[in-house]
Amino acid sequence: MVADSAKTPAAALASAADTPSLTPAHFRRLRQRWKATVTGNHMRVNSDDVYYALSKLSGTAEQYIANMQPSRIHIWEDLSPIHLSVNFRKSYERLRTIAQSYSIPSSIHYHDLNVQETVIQSLDFIASEIYNASVVQAKGENWWNFRIGAPLALVDIAILLYDDLTPRRRHEIGSTIVKNIGSIGQRSLKGANRADICLALIGAGVITNEEAEVSRGRWCLSDREYDGENSIFRLVESGEGLYEGGSYLSHEIFPYSGGYGVQHYYSLSKAVNVLSKSPYHINTTELAVTYTAINSTFSPVMWRGMMMGHIRGRDISRKSEPDAFWGNLFLQSLLYFADAELVPRKHRRFFKSLARSIWEAAPLPDLYGLNITQAFGMQKVLEERVPPAPPPIGTFATPMSDRIMHHRPEWAAALAMSSSRIGRYEALNHENLRPWYQGDGFLYVYTDKDPLHFSNDYWPTMDPYHTPGVTNGQNPQDPPAYKFTAHRDWAGGLDWRGTHGVAGLDALSTDKGSSARKSWFFLLNSIIALGAGCAGLSGTEVHTTYESRNLPLAGSNFSINGEYQIMNPGWIKPWEETHEQVDWAYLDSFGGYVFLDKDPVSFRHEKRKGKWTDINQYPDYLGFSDPITREYLTIYRNHGVDPKEGHYAYALLPSASSDETRDFAALPPINVTHNTPRLQAIEFNNTVMANFWSGGTIGYLTAVTPCSIMWGYSGAEDKYITISVSDPTQRATRIVLFINDPDIGGVVEKEDSIQLRWGRAGETGSVTITVNVEGTHGKTHRVSFERISWRGTLEDLPWRPPMKEVTTSTTTTTASRRPKPTAVKKPLTPNNTTVTSTKIDQKSSSVKHQTSSVGKASLGTAKPSLGTASKAAGKAASKAANGKTSGTTSGTISGTISGTTSQTASETVSETVEPDTATSTTSTAPEGT
């Protein structure tokens, strides 16, 4: 089903009949443009990237030539026999590298007739043995090699050697490609696969001067045959493709913007570039969705020029395709779009600007060096002095893929969840063989302190049973299945003003042996993680992994409560300790860890060994079998064997200093108000963030229905109160909230999905909010109200300490201290009592009220509270809870008022959380990749 808002314009489809015929001059221009996409625009070489790319290309081509061992069954001995599809496809790819080196001036093979003859003879050999217009795909062979992989490589070779090939050879190559591509009218041909096949078909027509094939390929991109049903220029609402809100799914249920999504854009951008000066150019109206997705789908999932691991599917198990490989491929897509004249000038400049920011952000220029096309394109951008685009800052939720990204100036985080809608992991074609918990709350954290953490042979050496962010039993798992969704619906969250985010996951492991209700709160300088109802039925210990860090090769210092541990690089004596009383820890290659509930925490330092072939047995990657050793620091909570009501509460402070971590632990600038299987919430800076797993009350707000919610002061000088809410289950029809806040004034703005009903006609302060969430797929809904207490200037507000805050820019700003006014207004909370701070499952203790800051910006300087719940509110929340009770899990409701006073109430909510018996969705794996 496709989104009505993004239907392919009828005029674009109708224009197919009006397209003028291609002339010989058109075909020459098409070949010239295609060749430029493979060799780069020929220009003077004056950049290090071009020198490096050219040297790398020539050296690789020379190695391929030297290793040739032609025989009756192969060209290269390691690609024998040639009759296997993976071997003839990879042989074409090597020949393409040699043909590139032959075609580029300054290369050592430029116009070398011996090299030319070698490539042509190799093409003839493959055609005579296996890949020709008469071949029939053998049973068990991968269709992708026949229909996409081999054709795309063969088109590039034929265009590079066009003038050296006889007309007969060109015709045979074109016929081979067209025959093996076959029908392109299938409704199942979608997304990246459709883009790839269409590009290959256009190429076949360009080689043979056959306009019919160029036309077929061009209009297949728009899916003219089915009135645009599977056009790659439109949004979808189910299945494969690009979604509104930034998600990209492949194989129906797997988030893949960093793999298939990039490949989709690469092939589309190449087609746009090649066709841009021909009668078959792609209409700019069709490209509107494509332009929008650059910011909504791709930029948020990149960090320092690399595609984050949570949206790369099984690609994470490929040694030869690291995160920087996909970042560079996306960069090349931007350069192709920027070089197409039909693309509006403002977009072309932005694409160049974004490409430069990706290039500049790479932690190591030669991590996975630019190829020759990318290098030439970047040289042109640099010569034009196009400034880099600013990096994304803030929280980006893509609810249709159960993913949340959070970007700060010095670090970024990405959360991978799964649900009854989204697959836990992708394991296909013997790839990604240890994926069991990759979709169960895997929290990726990237920092400038160790930018290559996930590139440093992480995947073959990491502990799959201690995945950061995940709660799971320690029992061995069965071999992975394909298309395995999660058992429960709740997975998602929201962003608030673009700066903060909330996420929640109702986790039940694949084998139903462990479960937990988990929440993450993404703040300016920290991530707060809460878990409750941690239970197990596997007969083994259940662990929540706070961290499992791949240490840099140079080593890293680690301390617990300020006491440094022995962490010698190179040779270590493995150690594991459980600390009963621990407040904080610090790893200098990451930042800080603060343990908010003061319960026992376990630490492990060890060497881990592995091979890439342990996690990938696909024939393409069997060469990466060398043993690897890496050092790991693992931090986790052991909930015991088959626990019933395990819990945890901790904070991650990426890129923070040791002193900042200690200060945070001494006086946390956030207050954990609830951590139960029914409600998890924190309060800070006049802001409340919560996951209501069932109805409940916090302060002035009652949620009648389950939801994720965040509310707090917004606007210049905190003039408004803004509420953001979403339905992470994507099953509800409406969400109902009730607010009885004397500070709530008139409506400033609201979305059409929100209806308001005031408690008393003509009066403010008491309002029922009904949000229509049916069919909105977990989208965030917002409403803003005026604050009655706001009088136009900050001085008129109740006095509060000075604030340091980083919002959506990378600049740190500091507000000066305001003098306390002579008349202090009435506090926003009901009573004035002694300031208390009650930790989870611990007795209350008096603390001093003071200001604490972390990093470049204060995460939680105390401000007037949005409202403190009374005992009656606590009882109401308990009455709203359903289920059996066994044992006690206590949560604390507290708030700080007017800079000096607060009140604390506590509620006791308890229940036994048993893993449910819901079943997962499974299906057999398709043949293709």
Side-chain angles (χ1 to χ4, degrees), residues 21-42:
S21 299
L22 294 175
T23 65
H26 283 134
F27 278 108
R28 284 196 300 273
R29 190 175 297 116
L30 287 170
R31 285 191 292 273
Q32 290 169 357
R33 293 193 69 85
W34 195 295
K35 185 175 181 180
T37 67
V38 185
T39 63
N41 290 314
H42 292 166

Side-chain angles (χ1 to χ4, degrees), residues 147-212:
R147 299 190 68 190
I148 294 177
L152 286 174
L154 189 51
V155 167
D156 286 347
I157 297 169
I159 288 179
L160 289 171
L161 299 180
Y162 183 85
D163 294 332
D164 303 313
L165 299 174
T166 64
R168 179 179 176 180
R169 280 196 176 102
R170 295 197 294 261
H171 175 75
E172 289 175 348
I173 290 173
S175 298
T176 296
I177 293 171
V178 171
K179 163 63 172 59
N180 282 280
I181 286 177
S183 172
I184 58 173
Q186 308 102 313
R187 279 191 162 96
S188 60
L189 189 59
K190 301 176 182 180
N193 287 338
R194 177 176 286 267
D196 287 344
I197 284 179
C198 291
L199 180 64
L201 195 57
I202 293 169
V206 171
I207 294 167
T208 58
N209 289 356
E210 291 287 344
E211 182 174 0

Side-chain angles (χ1 to χ4, degrees), residues 220-543:
C220 177
L221 290 170
S222 304
D223 193 21
R224 184 181 63 172
E225 186 170 350
Y226 292 103
D227 295 326
E229 179 180 327
N230 291 309
S231 167
I232 66 171
F233 302 113
R234 68 192 308 168
L235 301 175
V236 301
E237 289 184 345
S238 63
E240 190 123 348
L242 184 67
Y243 287 76
E244 184 179 9
S247 296
Y248 188 98
L249 300 185
S250 192
H251 294 167
E252 285 79 41
I253 61 171
F254 299 118
Y256 241 126
S257 51
Y260 277 100
V262 173
Q263 185 64 42
H264 174 144
Y265 263 54
Y266 169 79
S267 290
L268 174 58
S269 65
K270 187 168 181 175
V272 168
N273 187 292
V274 169
L275 297 172
S276 63
K277 284 191 173 182
S278 80
Y280 285 94
H281 68 268
I282 294 171
N283 193 300
T284 54
T285 305
E286 288 186 281
L287 291 171
V289 168
T290 301
Y291 299 150
T292 301
I294 298 293
N295 276 333
S296 64
T297 305
F298 296 104
S299 291
V301 299
M302 294 193 72
W303 188 82
R304 301 297 186 257
M306 300 178 282
M307 285 289 168
M308 293 175 162
H310 70 307
I311 39 73
R312 291 178 51 219
R314 70 185 187 279
D315 291 350
I316 59 175
S317 66
R318 298 174 179 176
K319 168 69 172 176
S320 57
E321 297 180 8
D323 37 22
F325 168 87
W326 291 102
N328 286 352
L329 197 65
F330 179 60
L331 177 147
Q332 187 163 332
S333 304
L334 295 172
L335 295 174
Y336 283 162
F337 279 129
D339 193 45
E341 290 82 352
L342 65 88
V343 176
R345 184 183 297 272
K346 66 177 182 178
H347 291 310
R348 279 187 280 154
R349 184 168 180 82
F350 171 69
F351 295 155
K352 292 177 183 178
S353 179
L354 186 55
R356 178 165 183 176
S357 70
I358 294 171
W359 174 79
E360 288 189 349
L364 288 178
D366 59 348
L367 173 64
Y368 202 91
L370 300 179
N371 65 33
I372 190 64
T373 309
Q374 298 159 359
F376 271 122
M378 280 310 306
Q379 177 177 300
K380 184 177 180 182
V381 170
L382 295 173
E383 289 176 351
E384 293 177 2
R385 304 194 177 199
V386 178
I393 297 294
T395 305
F396 304 84
T398 53
M400 287 298 289
S401 56
D402 294 347
R403 297 295 191 264
I404 287 185
M405 290 69 66
H406 185 67
H407 288 265
R408 302 305 306 150
E410 296 178 346
W411 58 276
L415 180 63
M417 299 178 286
S418 56
S419 63
S420 55
R421 310 171 298 274
I422 294 297
R424 291 179 183 273
Y425 53 76
E426 191 197 32
L428 174 65
N429 293 340
H430 308 290
E431 296 187 85
N432 199 22
L433 300 177
R434 298 175 180 173
W436 302 293
Y437 301 108
Q438 289 172 4
D440 286 9
F442 193 154
L443 182 63
Y444 298 73
V445 182
Y446 298 78
T447 74
D448 285 338
K449 288 176 173 284
D450 183 18
L452 302 182
H453 172 262
F454 292 103
S455 301
N456 182 21
D457 291 318
Y458 174 81
W459 295 106
T461 57
M462 60 90 70
D463 182 354
Y465 293 97
H466 286 92
T467 301
V470 175
T471 299
N472 60 276
Q474 297 301 296
N475 52 308
Q477 295 294 296
D478 294 330
Y482 181 65
K483 283 197 175 178
F484 205 98
T485 59
H487 302 300
R488 293 174 174 170
D489 297 328
W490 185 303
L494 54 82
D495 67 274
W496 190 69
R497 296 193 298 173
T499 57
H500 303 74
V502 181
L505 175 66
D506 193 0
L508 177 61
S509 62
T510 300
D511 61 0
K512 300 183 181 178
S514 58
S515 63
R517 284 186 169 168
K518 306 169 69 67
S519 293
W520 295 265
F521 305 97
F522 298 95
L523 309 180
L524 297 184
N525 288 311
S526 65
I527 303 168
I528 311 301
L530 303 182
C534 303
L537 294 174
S538 65
T540 63
E541 293 178 348
V542 174
H543 294 179

